[in-house]
Amino acid sequence: MANEKLLKDFGANIQRLINGGNLSREETYAMFCQVLGNEQPDLQQGAFLAALVSKGETIEEIAGAWQAIVEKDTVAVSLDVTEPIVENSGTGMDSLKTFNVSSAAAIVAAACGAKVARHGSRALTSFCGAVDILEAVGLDVECDPQTVVQSIQEVGIGLFNGMSPKIHPFGLGRILSQIRFGTTLNIAASLANPARPTHGLRGVYAESLLGPVAEVMASIGYHRGVVVHGQAIGQQGGMDELSVCGPTKVCEFTGNGEVKEYSLQPEDLGIRKVPFVEIAALGNLQKERRRFLTVLTGKGEKSCMDFTCLNAGATLYAGELAKSIEEGVGLASAAIADGSALAKLKTWVATQARDGKGTARLEQELAAL
């Protein structure tokens, strides 16, 4: 437990945040190191996380949090690949909860040739997170990090469980397991991927975060990124995905410092706009698993399949495997239609669940469709 000086200094910085002031990257790094090390009382840790997100994080604060997590609480891995390491993920905290499209899109993108290193968690501010849905279809989400590395190298896709002590052994899992509200960790921790991706599609929960998150990604080593915030006609708030229900705001950056901001409509990419209810979360893991599998088999509802292809297409574009999002959408649609996406899921489960139980579970679920 912290001594009185550390308690007072930590509390003084919380008060600064409450008053609307900002922290430097170094100050934020030091405070997150104390949180990860459980060196402050729970009340101070919670107050810090709440004050930071309530005030609104700066680029320096997000980068400082990320640096603490990477340096103090993330296993180091090395991938023997020559292709770009691609990730796709969302921050969570969005008000429009959807079908778990990022996980489906990652599988489709891998079926199109991307090397996808996912880094996800169980649901915190939603019902069904990446770890939940992938575990439900047979993936071993508690495996050691080297198994994930081998899966990425051999199959083209793997999942690091952001709540597993095998991936983040110090304090991140403890923190995430105790909170049910969105914090700076939704951004900083999701960026703390052990594989250190070079290319990424990242969804954010607010339009105001598009530029800052792009700038953070560029500053921590991403060569190319596409940051998005989707909206739905007739709905308040937004989603941390590209939307088939309304416009998507985009901030795109490249390693040479070029930044572009623009807006997309589904129709721009040959996709029919649909009501939000058609892609909304069902609130039931069994139903979500069935919907997830029907999409990958090509038997799903067209709205969810289009939603998946749109986000897979953007992942391929971010990873430089497609010259445009529209081209990526076409590649993704073909991968579902010809069975490549389902084959990729089967191979992934067989590799990241080597005891055979995962494959048996997946085949059982597919037979029940």
Side-chain angles (χ1 to χ4, degrees), residues 174-249:
R174 169 185 60 82
I175 299 164
L176 294 178
S177 69
Q178 293 180 12
I179 59 176
R180 293 298 180 272
F181 65 96
T183 71
T184 310
L185 296 174
N186 289 74
I187 305 171
S190 64
L191 285 166
N193 188 322
R196 298 299 294 273
T198 56
H199 296 62
L201 169 67
R202 182 162 299 272
V204 294
Y205 61 85
E207 185 178 342
S208 61
L209 286 172
L210 289 167
V213 169
E215 190 168 338
V216 170
M217 290 173 69
S219 73
I220 64 176
Y222 281 78
H223 300 166
R224 179 181 175 87
V226 178
V227 186
V228 301
H229 175 72
Q231 299 171 333
I233 301 299
Q235 302 289 325
Q236 293 186 338
M239 65 185 76
D240 58 349
E241 314 285 357
L242 284 91
S243 176
V244 290
C245 309
T248 298
K249 305 294 185 181

Side-chain angles (χ1 to χ4, degrees), residues 59-82:
I59 294 164
E60 290 76 15
E61 288 164 348
I62 296 170
W66 170 84
Q67 183 182 350
I69 297 165
V70 167
E71 291 185 3
K72 302 296 184 182
D73 196 22
T74 303
V75 296
V77 302
S78 177
L79 270 69
D80 185 16
V81 298
T82 56

Side-chain angles (χ1 to χ4, degrees), residues 48-133:
F48 169 52
L49 294 174
L52 189 55
V53 73
S54 179
K55 187 267 300 179
E57 307 93 330
T58 65
I59 294 164
E60 290 76 15
E61 288 164 348
I62 296 170
W66 170 84
Q67 183 182 350
I69 297 165
V70 167
E71 291 185 3
K72 302 296 184 182
D73 196 22
T74 303
V75 296
V77 302
S78 177
L79 270 69
D80 185 16
V81 298
T82 56
E83 305 93 333
I85 302 172
V86 184
E87 71 157 349
N88 72 323
S89 65
T91 57
M93 292 172 63
D94 49 345
S95 55
L96 299 179
K97 306 301 182 185
T98 71
F99 155 66
N100 198 300
V101 68
S102 59
S103 294
I107 294 166
V108 175
C112 294
K115 290 287 187 183
V116 183
R118 299 218 70 209
H119 180 241
S121 70
R122 296 192 184 277
L124 294 175
T125 61
S126 63
F127 173 78
C128 181
V131 170
D132 302 306
I133 191 66

Side-chain angles (χ1 to χ4, degrees), residues 2 34 77 126 192 319 351 354:
Q34 291 181 51
V77 302
S126 63
T351 304
R354 295 182 186 276

